[in-house]
Amino acid sequence: MPVVVRNTDQSWEMPAGCRISAALLSVVAFLSTASAQQDGIPRQDVSPACLKAVLAEQELTRSLRQIRQPLPHITADESIQIRKDYSNLLYSGYSSAADTKTVRTYLEYQILQITDPEFAAIPSNGHQLLKEIQSDVQKAGSRIGNASNQLTMRRQFCKDILDICKKLLDNSFDARITAVSIMKYLQETRPATGGAAARLHQDALVALISVLNSDEQPDSVKVFAASSLRFVLRNCDVIETEQFRISDAVSRELQRACSQSAFQQTLLETLMEIQRPRRNVGGTDPTAMKAFVTVLSDRTRPVEVRCLAAQGVGRGAIDAQMNLSPISWKIAQLAGDVAQEFNRTPGDPKWPACGAALIFAYRHYTDDEAEGTLLERKGLSNRAGDNPPAAIADAAPMVQMVGMKLVRNSSTFTIQELTPLATWIRDSQPANLKWDNGQPAIPVD
């Protein structure tokens, strides 16, 4: 059975208030449907070389689902007795040993219920648990007027929750994914209206990265850690050194052999949220773009993963030192690979998302994304400016033709449709395939 479900976390949802081009509305509609289908029934195109590893992943996940190891906590009746005291301390703060015990006892009741098999068997219980914890984190310290004291209290509250969550990381599957899902909500500062974003509790970020890179956790748990990191990057103020750490952790997972397509796609979507294009500590390597180029260029990976990496090239963080022309040529080569595979399996539910990813490698989601500085824009065609190099200007319409046909997911490509693309790939290979100083040249094959 499939073991890793792609955790999109509404990755294709349009930002509120943004204007999307009417011509692309149908693409987004197809894509949303395709994402939902893929989340529910993830594909398992497993090569013979990776079969053993994938079967081991499946067995490990099944074993986690069989764990019956309830952790002790107070009863529901006992929780009612201390609920009022807990609420007062939540709003007003706490520091004494007795008050801390009250808060932690109630939090243990809330969180450790997920280790009870009967509780976990009802999906709405887990959803409600997450909702309650998120709400309580937002309310924590709201009656404390002094900003410094409020920060101290909220930091302690996040620490108390995190300590309890860590107890779940060697428990059942439901317990583990609940833990990493809670961690993304542990914001020690709240977002300011029209101002600074929230800041995640530092130890929660450390814990999420640790789960993602743990040899003890299966990819079916790691995918939730990756999704939580993506949520943090989207919703919190993440300083550049922490962005480097997240980028390194995600890239490490992408380098592993035999990880499943759904997991790789979630990792790539996480990297699209990295805002710093290049390290300035411990070297000057690119961050997310290095991973996108590596995955895009790897013809042994599933094409849907490579398509998403191509989209990452169009949406990920870049700087002026990067040469996008050879990457665009590689995306065109990928489009040719995809078209050939599509002709073997038309109608496969993976194709609409793959096609949309190729389209958005060159285009913006919304009109706003085509504005601003070249480095701020989304889509290679926008990033190339008014006088784009031929490797981008010529490739874009051919790649997008392939993408639109994949989105429709019906009739196969004809020789007449693909000949111009094949000819261009053959005749337009850049003389210089270096896309960044210090990085390997784009491979021809």
Side-chain angles (χ1 to χ4, degrees):
M1 84 181 219
V3 73
V4 177
V5 175
R6 183 177 171 193
N7 200 320
T8 61
D9 194 20
Q10 296 181 321
S11 59
W12 288 99
E13 182 178 345
M14 294 298 109
C18 287
R19 306 186 307 276
I20 185 165
S21 304
L24 295 181
L25 282 173
S26 60
V27 176
V28 175
F30 271 114
L31 179 60
S32 299
T33 302
S35 292
Q37 291 172 344
Q38 187 168 18
D39 288 354
I41 311 175
R43 293 183 51 81
Q44 294 297 316
D45 294 334
V46 180
S47 69
C50 289
L51 183 59
K52 182 177 180 180
V54 170
L55 291 175
E57 281 281 328
Q58 293 178 345
E59 180 58 33
L60 178 55
T61 298
R62 280 194 292 268
S63 69
L64 297 188
R65 292 185 183 278
Q66 296 303 314
I67 289 178
R68 300 292 185 269
Q69 188 178 316
L71 296 179
H73 55 77
I74 61 175
T75 66
D77 288 342
E78 291 170 327
S79 76
I80 293 173
Q81 296 176 15
I82 65 171
R83 170 68 193 180
K84 183 175 181 180
D85 290 339
Y86 166 79
S87 295
N88 288 333
L89 295 170
L90 175 68
Y91 284 104
S92 302
Y94 58 95
S95 57
S96 70
D99 288 345
T100 299
K101 181 179 180 181
T102 297
V103 169
R104 290 182 67 97
T105 298
Y106 190 81
L107 287 173
E108 286 175 343
Y109 163 74
Q110 282 184 298
I111 297 170
L112 298 184
Q113 292 179 95
I114 198 65
T115 65
D116 295 337
E118 292 183 2
F119 179 91
I122 302 174
S124 60
N125 286 343
H127 296 319
Q128 183 63 27
L129 187 163
L130 290 175
K131 184 177 179 180
E132 289 174 359
I133 293 296
Q134 182 184 14
S135 175
D136 284 359
V137 170
Q138 290 302 307
K139 292 182 290 190
S142 56
R143 294 177 186 165
I144 302 174
N146 181 281
S148 177
N149 290 343
Q150 184 185 89
L151 174 60
T152 298
M153 181 270 169
R154 289 181 59 84
R155 188 170 288 161
Q156 180 61 47
F157 186 63
C158 289
K159 179 183 182 302
D160 290 335
I161 295 175
L162 181 61
D163 288 346
I164 297 168
C165 285
K166 288 180 178 179
K167 297 178 181 180
L168 303 178
L169 294 177
D170 61 357
N171 206 281
S172 67
F173 177 77
D174 288 315
R176 296 182 194 209
I177 65 173
T178 296
V180 296
S181 298
I182 289 174
M183 290 175 190
K184 68 185 177 186
Y185 296 130
L186 300 185
Q187 299 171 353
E188 58 184 37
T189 65
R190 287 190 292 262
T193 303
R199 187 170 68 245
L200 192 75
H201 183 53
Q202 175 65 29
D203 289 345
L205 180 61
V206 171
L208 284 171
I209 291 174
S210 177
V211 171
L212 181 63
N213 287 158
S214 173
D215 294 334
E216 305 302 318
Q217 300 290 355
D219 290 353
S220 54
V221 171
K222 290 184 178 185
V223 72
F224 284 88
S227 179
S228 289
L229 287 169
R230 185 177 60 224
F231 178 92
V232 171
L233 288 166
R234 283 181 177 175
N235 295 283
C236 296
D237 178 17
V238 183
I239 63 175
E240 59 185 15
T241 53
E242 291 175 341
Q243 291 197 36
F244 300 153
R245 294 184 63 193
I246 294 173
S247 180
D248 289 347
V250 172
S251 297
R252 175 183 169 184
E253 293 303 306
L254 280 169
Q255 291 168 6
R256 286 174 39 220
C258 298
S259 62
Q260 295 172 69
S261 172
F263 181 44
Q264 293 182 50
Q265 290 177 81
T266 301
L267 292 170
L268 290 169
E269 288 169 340
T270 302
L271 285 177
M272 289 185 207
E273 303 300 329
I274 296 290
Q275 300 298 312
R276 300 295 182 180
R278 190 176 300 273
R279 300 180 66 93
N280 58 16
V281 177
T284 59
D285 280 0
T287 53
M289 195 60 60
K290 181 178 178 180
F292 293 141
V293 172
T294 299
V295 173
L296 163 67
S297 302
D298 185 355
R299 297 176 93 170
T300 68
R301 291 182 188 257
V303 289
E304 62 269 26
V305 174
R306 297 179 66 205
C307 286
L308 198 61
Q311 180 186 316
V313 171
R315 300 192 63 80
I318 61 171
D319 62 21
Q321 299 180 52
M322 299 177 189
N323 178 12
L324 301 178
S325 290
I327 309 178
S328 180
W329 177 82
K330 195 66 180 179
I331 293 174
Q333 186 188 67
L334 165 62
D337 292 346
V338 172
Q340 293 181 57
E341 183 167 331
F342 173 84
N343 278 357
R344 292 192 291 270
T345 59
D348 191 303
K350 73 181 179 183
W351 292 126
C354 191
L358 289 177
I359 292 169
F360 290 123
Y362 289 89
R363 285 194 59 99
H364 44 281
Y365 287 170
T366 67
D367 293 340
D368 293 344
E369 291 184 345
E371 301 171 358
T373 69
L374 295 181
L375 299 181
E376 292 172 339
R377 297 176 187 178
K378 305 300 183 183
L380 286 175
S381 295
N382 298 314
R383 290 175 162 182
D386 295 333
N387 297 298
I392 293 177
D394 295 346
M398 291 186 287
V399 171
Q400 293 184 69
M401 178 276 294
V402 172
M404 286 302 298
K405 192 140 185 171
L406 295 177
V407 167
R408 297 187 184 98
N409 200 13
S410 54
S411 60
T412 57
F413 292 93
T414 65
I415 293 176
Q416 291 77 12
E417 287 174 315
L418 294 181
T419 296
L421 174 60
T423 301
W424 185 87
I425 294 168
R426 182 193 65 207
D427 296 342
S428 301
Q429 177 184 320
N432 180 9
L433 288 169
K434 289 281 288 184
W435 69 276
D436 192 81
N437 291 335
Q439 298 303 310
I442 298 285
V444 175
D445 296 323

